Amino acid sequence: MKLLVIGRGGREHALAWKLACSSRAEKVFVGPGNAGTIGGPGGKIIPAKLDPLDFQACVAFCKAESIGLVVVGPEDPLAAGIVDALESEKIRVFGPSKAAAQLEASKVFSKSLMREALVPTADFQVCDHPQIARTYIDSQIEPLVIKADGLAAGKGVIVCDNAEQARRAVDRIMVREEFGKGVGRQVVIERRLQGQELSVLALVSGRCVMRLEAAQDHKAAFDGDKGPNTGGMGAYSPAPIATPEILEKIDEEVFIPTIHAMKRRKSPYKGCLYAGMMLCPQGPKVLEFNCRLGDPETQPVLMRLKTDLLDLLEAVVDERLEEFADKVAWDPRPAICVVLAAQGYPGSYQKGTPIHGLEAASKLPDVQVFHAGTARNARDEVVTDGGRVLGVTAMGDTIELARKNAYEAIKLIKFTGMQFRADIGSKALATPRSN
Ligand code: AMP
Ligand code: GLY
């Protein structure tokens, strides 16, 4: 079967790599991909010049290449309706419809759905005018988080320490529209929660929800969870903090009621549903839903997956996921992904800086260097082309060894301005294993 992965990040490189490992995959196109999405296992990975938001071009490509399955990586095309566009042309695609992708694309939609379905989440208020928002902020005592309603490339959430910061956040989102026009027409103002974050991804199809192994992301830019929030600076799986009891609670209190509520709204969910959780003293609460796999969580999670990913994704699309109940196999060894970012990220950064040492790093045992923001320049050198540049992912018999392997590989890679967190995985080391 010929496959097409839509997207250009580290998650998409990891998806293409894992799909190429399937004996049933003949070719894995990645559109538009990055400098890493070429060759791969069996030389099956092929870049495709595609704009994920140009649905007509995607349909034409799928027809011309007889693509058997499309896997959509990022949220933007999902929220814009790529699944609806492909399905209307009878092209098989993994991902939720435009209506179901609202769970990520609109914070107001997802918070309202959680309230209706009694899914545990932070108390909140929706405001559609900056003055109403300011008045609400002034009536609150606890620290708040201000969230733009629409998609803002992961930047529309501002975690505040005090009312002054919250008022400034409202101003940035609603008045100055720093995160895009229309994105902040409404804001969600919610209670700031305390605890450890956990990323729980599940495949969802028909009535079946199948959780993947849990992961922990590192959202803050700098060591010790300091600095501004980013798309994610590193992740590891499994997450020792995710006990079987916590995961069962998340199934019962989060995934099942959410899937039912989506069905009641006549927008059944199909694809990957990502629950961003905060493990609070009162129990796990949802911070956000994403309608896709996480980046960088996908990199360590897929490295541990032993079951054929193509089989699993097809079962979701064909609504026969229950065939895999209790049959998904995982490598018990932990995996860890450390993101190498460009200087200045998550603010502005330079592109076009040459990257050295990639070949040496990828030759190390138990290491995969997944590309994210990379491209090839006119001299055919691999250069930086985004904020998050590479996801160095490694396995080991223990989390300590996985970390050691990842950081050893990083020592071989160099580009001017390269920055990364040196403490990815340290929380896992501090948590005793319970399972
Ligand atoms: P979101 O896009 O809603 O997940 O927010 C991005 C990040 O902001 C989360 O991963 C958390 O680190 C942080 N965050 C969001 N909501 C809250 C909250 N209610 N309390 C504390 N931190 C939050
Ligand atoms: N790592 C966070 C996300 O994928 O949204």
Side-chain angles (χ1 to χ4, degrees):
M1 187 189 295
K2 292 194 212 170
L3 312 171
L4 169 63
V5 176
I6 299 272
R8 64 184 334 146
R11 164 186 48 211
E12 288 75 26
H13 188 188
L15 279 165
W17 167 78
K18 196 73 200 180
L19 286 168
C21 293
S22 168
S23 58
R24 290 194 304 119
E26 182 193 336
K27 290 180 179 173
V28 184
F29 293 97
V30 188
N34 53 41
T37 53
I38 185 162
K44 295 178 192 174
I45 303 178
I46 306 165
K49 277 207 174 74
L50 281 175
D51 171 357
L53 293 172
D54 184 347
F55 301 164
Q56 253 182 343
C58 292
V59 166
F61 181 87
C62 291
K63 288 189 172 169
E65 291 289 347
S66 307
I67 297 294
L69 180 71
V70 180
V71 180
V72 185
E75 62 275 19
D76 286 339
L78 291 166
I82 193 170
V83 169
D84 311 62
L86 292 169
E87 281 183 345
S88 71
E89 297 287 338
K90 307 262 176 301
I91 297 164
R92 292 165 82 222
V93 51
F94 174 84
S97 65
K98 179 176 180 170
Q102 286 283 98
L103 263 183
E104 172 167 4
S106 167
K107 302 271 189 211
V108 173
F109 176 93
S110 67
K111 291 293 286 194
S112 310
L113 183 128
M114 285 187 251
R115 185 174 269 169
E116 170 198 307
L118 303 178
V119 173
T121 188
D123 287 344
F124 71 100
Q125 175 76 31
V126 176
C127 297
D128 59 6
H129 191 280
Q131 194 46 48
I132 299 172
R134 288 183 205 112
T135 308
Y136 178 74
I137 290 166
D138 290 340
S139 73
Q140 298 298 302
I141 300 163
E142 307 277 339
L144 298 168
V145 179
I146 314 293
K147 300 184 171 186
D149 176 46
L151 288 179
K155 293 181 185 150
V157 171
I158 304 176
V159 180
C160 307
D161 292 325
N162 53 48
E164 177 49 33
Q165 285 179 6
R167 278 192 294 270
R168 217 175 309 140
V170 165
D171 198 51
R172 290 179 64 194
I173 295 172
M174 299 189 97
V175 182
R176 285 192 272 151
E177 296 188 303
E178 274 181 34
F179 305 100
K181 283 211 179 310
V183 169
R185 203 158 289 142
Q186 297 187 92
V187 289
V188 168
I189 302 184
E190 68 179 39
R191 259 306 163 80
R192 180 170 171 180
L193 301 173
Q194 301 292 343
Q196 274 205 49
E197 286 187 47
L198 181 70
S199 304
V200 191
L201 282 65
L203 298 178
V204 178
S205 169
R207 298 149 78 86
C208 190
V209 178
M210 185 188 285
R211 230 188 318 101
L212 303 178
E213 289 272 281
Q216 265 189 304
D217 188 10
H218 297 65
K219 288 265 164 58
F222 309 129
D223 286 3
D225 289 335
K226 300 276 188 324
N229 259 354
T230 69
M233 293 298 288
Y236 55 84
S237 170
I241 198 167
T243 60
E245 294 74 36
I246 287 177
L247 293 171
E248 225 165 88
K249 224 171 150 78
I250 293 172
D251 276 344
E252 282 167 18
E253 296 181 2
V254 177
F255 284 118
I256 293 168
T258 302
I259 298 312
H260 280 284
M262 290 301 284
K263 237 187 217 157
R264 278 198 302 277
R265 292 190 178 202
K266 304 271 183 290
S267 313
Y269 198 92
K270 190 154 86 172
C272 175
L273 181 58
Y274 164 146
M277 304 297 306
M278 187 73 97
L279 303 183
C280 305
Q282 315 91 311
K285 293 191 180 188
V286 177
L287 291 173
E288 63 165 347
F289 281 123
N290 293 320
C291 62
R292 46 156 180 96
L293 289 140
D295 190 343
E297 292 91 330
T298 300
Q299 289 84 317
V301 168
L302 288 189
M303 212 159 152
R304 296 187 52 228
L305 179 69
K306 283 184 159 175
T307 303
D308 186 317
L309 180 65
L310 176 54
D311 288 349
L312 269 179
L313 300 189
E314 278 201 292
V316 172
V317 173
D318 300 341
E319 297 201 5
R320 47 177 181 76
L321 186 58
E322 52 283 355
E323 287 175 14
F324 284 89
D326 303 320
K327 289 203 190 113
V328 177
W330 296 96
D331 192 321
R333 292 180 304 158
I336 180 166
C337 170
V338 181
V339 169
L340 305 184
Q343 191 168 25
Y345 175 77
S348 56
Y349 49 81
Q350 264 196 345
K351 288 184 182 179
T353 310
I355 305 169
H356 306 284
L358 286 169
E359 213 178 313
S362 40
K363 277 194 191 134
L364 295 178
D366 289 327
V367 171
Q368 292 291 330
V369 180
F370 293 118
H371 287 230
T374 67
R376 277 180 193 276
N377 66 10
R379 284 188 299 245
D380 208 31
E381 295 166 319
V382 178
V383 295
T384 65
D385 194 40
R388 292 191 291 175
V389 177
L390 298 162
V392 179
T393 311
M395 298 189 73
D397 287 338
T398 60
I399 190 84
E400 288 95 325
L401 290 172
R403 270 188 96 184
K404 187 163 165 283
N405 289 342
Y407 285 108
E408 288 292 322
I410 288 171
K411 280 190 197 154
L412 301 173
I413 300 174
K414 286 192 176 52
F415 60 87
T416 307
M418 176 170 116
Q419 57 160 338
F420 59 90
R421 278 183 61 162
D423 65 347
I424 305 299
S426 53
K427 266 184 231 160
L429 293 176
T431 315
R433 279 216 68 149
S434 63
N435 51 359

